[in-house]
Amino acid sequence: MSLKNIQEDVDKWISQWKVGYFEPFEALACMMEETGEVSREINHMFGPKKKKSTEEKKDLADELADTIFTICCIANPLGIDLDEAWKRMLDKFNTRDKERLERK
Amino acid sequence: MSLKNIQEDVDKWISQWKVGYFEPFEALACMMEETGEVSREINHMFGPKKKKSTEEKKDLADELADTIFTICCIANPLGIDLDEAWKRMLDKFNTRDKERLERK
Amino acid sequence: MSLKNIQEDVDKWISQWKVGYFEPFEALACMMEETGEVSREINHMFGPKKKKSTEEKKDLADELADTIFTICCIANPLGIDLDEAWKRMLDKFNTRDKERLERK
Amino acid sequence: MSLKNIQEDVDKWISQWKVGYFEPFEALACMMEETGEVSREINHMFGPKKKKSTEEKKDLADELADTIFTICCIANPLGIDLDEAWKRMLDKFNTRDKERLERK
């Protein structure tokens, strides 16, 4: 019951505006914008210039949250239940991928 | 208290393997792989070929969940609390962006 | 006069099909798919599993070429001249960024 | 002989700096950043806000050129010949994909 709350937060925010949800391709472009900003932050923190700091960790955290927001903007108008998909993923891990890697 | 559970699911899965978390740039490349797969699904569902179906909605849902997994793989080893970042994002929305769009 | 030929190759290929160019958002989704495949190849070659080989270098090269193809699929129907943009970029480098980095 | 010139432009620019080419994962992150900026421009031009203009077309062209630059930054240090890969792609089109779509 975890991603449900997240999806509801997004829905509450979006549903107050006249413009509403974007079309799938537009929402996808937003997701790519945010993924690009995550990349920029990781380049800042760990790239050749390396100016790692608490401030930058917060900036990266913010971009990751923004990306999750755009994921919900794709999922919500399509009626996608992310908790269900998350559970399916964990089930797949625990069956198909159970012996894939070397254990500790 | 929503994304915390999600981050813990990821940590439980990763922590059983010897290989552990990837480096930030490697985890970022995984996030881009998944974003690419989200794009492929959206192209299948809504692109010129348009063969929308229940099966494809499930595939898209799965790719979105996979992307959230990779986001946690970036956040967890850096000690990033996604619930905190999510709250900061909502706060920003409710102050800075309060009057940005036309209301219903 | 370099990217012009590339753009013409793409135009020759696309113009023989009834479906023609995709809409900008659809072409962008294709570009994201290809960027995702570049990521997968780089993960294969340089990631934790590291099975670098000549075959993989060819695969990465192919994905990079595919990405350039999708870039032309965005540029062409909008009448974007990539050689002009390339020249603008080099000019910007040679003025704005002239002293940005430490020289050899 | 088209992408060769482009790759040489990039090499001439990079080779004057002490920092040189980035590592593959870092260069990939740059490519993702630029793909994100292409997304932002396409959202501006064709998204719900739609403020299409000559200026924006130029901005999109610039981001596409920047992305091609980052592609060369991945290809060059690995000794990847993009013209060869481009030719392989066209050959594949003209054999495997020859009858894939409906002709005009």
Side-chain angles (χ1 to χ4, degrees), chain C residues 1-7 9-10 13-19 24-25 28 31-32 34-35 38-40 42-43 45-48 52 57-62 64-69 71-72 74-75 78-86 88-90 92-94 97-104, chain D residues 1-7 9-10 13-19 24-25 28 31-32 34-35 38-40 42-43 45-48 52 57-62 64-69 71-72 74-75 78-86 88-90 92-94 97-104:
Chain C
M1 285 307 202
S2 279
L3 292 165
K4 193 177 172 41
N5 301 334
I6 293 296
Q7 290 188 265
D9 283 344
V10 173
W13 172 254
I14 297 287
S15 62
Q16 57 185 319
W17 310 112
K18 214 177 146 189
V19 65
F25 277 112
L28 174 64
M31 184 183 169
M32 290 169 61
E34 294 304 335
T35 305
V38 168
S39 308
R40 197 194 50 212
I42 287 183
N43 247 336
M45 282 179 84
F46 304 101
K52 200 174 184 170
K57 198 175 111 177
K58 198 168 132 290
D59 290 344
L60 174 57
D62 288 350
L64 293 172
D66 287 353
T67 310
I68 296 175
F69 182 88
I71 288 174
C72 296
I74 294 174
L78 298 173
I80 285 175
D81 180 329
L82 289 173
D83 276 326
E84 250 181 46
W86 188 261
R88 266 202 306 278
M89 183 192 72
L90 294 180
K92 192 185 64 186
F93 281 176
N94 288 316
D97 297 339
K98 223 178 114 181
E99 306 301 342
R100 208 169 58 136
L101 295 164
E102 192 185 350
R103 288 185 185 275
K104 265 184 188 165
Chain D
M1 285 306 204
S2 279
L3 292 165
K4 195 179 171 40
N5 301 334
I6 293 294
Q7 289 189 266
D9 284 345
V10 173
W13 173 254
I14 298 287
S15 63
Q16 58 186 319
W17 310 113
K18 212 177 148 189
V19 65
F25 277 112
L28 174 64
M31 185 183 168
M32 292 171 60
E34 294 304 335
T35 305
V38 168
S39 307
R40 197 193 50 212
I42 286 183
N43 247 337
M45 281 178 86
F46 303 102
K52 202 175 184 171
K57 199 174 109 177
K58 199 167 131 289
D59 290 344
L60 174 57
D62 288 351
L64 293 171
D66 287 353
T67 311
I68 296 174
F69 182 88
I71 288 174
C72 296
I74 294 174
L78 298 172
I80 285 174
D81 180 328
L82 288 173
D83 276 325
E84 252 181 45
W86 188 260
R88 267 202 305 277
M89 183 191 71
L90 293 180
K92 193 185 62 186
F93 281 175
N94 288 316
D97 297 340
K98 221 179 118 182
E99 305 302 341
R100 208 169 56 136
L101 295 164
E102 192 184 349
R103 286 185 187 275
K104 267 187 188 165

Side-chain angles (χ1 to χ4, degrees), chain B residues 10-66:
Chain B
V10 174
D11 201 62
K12 226 187 305 180
W13 172 254
I14 297 288
S15 62
Q16 57 185 319
W17 310 112
K18 212 175 147 190
V19 65
Y21 284 104
F22 285 10
E23 294 298 311
F25 277 111
E26 296 163 6
L28 176 65
C30 294
M31 184 183 170
M32 187 66 235
E33 269 192 69
E34 295 304 336
T35 304
E37 291 180 16
V38 168
S39 307
R40 198 192 51 212
E41 294 306 326
I42 286 183
N43 246 337
H44 281 180
M45 282 179 84
F46 303 101
K49 305 171 212 162
K50 270 175 205 132
K51 28 181 181 174
K52 199 175 184 171
S53 71
T54 316
E55 192 51 41
E56 291 205 314
K57 200 175 110 178
K58 197 167 133 289
D59 290 346
L60 174 57
D62 289 350
E63 299 302 345
L64 292 172
D66 287 353

Side-chain angles (χ1 to χ4, degrees), chain B residues 60-72:
Chain B
L60 174 57
D62 289 350
E63 299 302 345
L64 292 172
D66 287 353
T67 311
I68 296 175
F69 182 88
T70 60
I71 288 174
C72 296

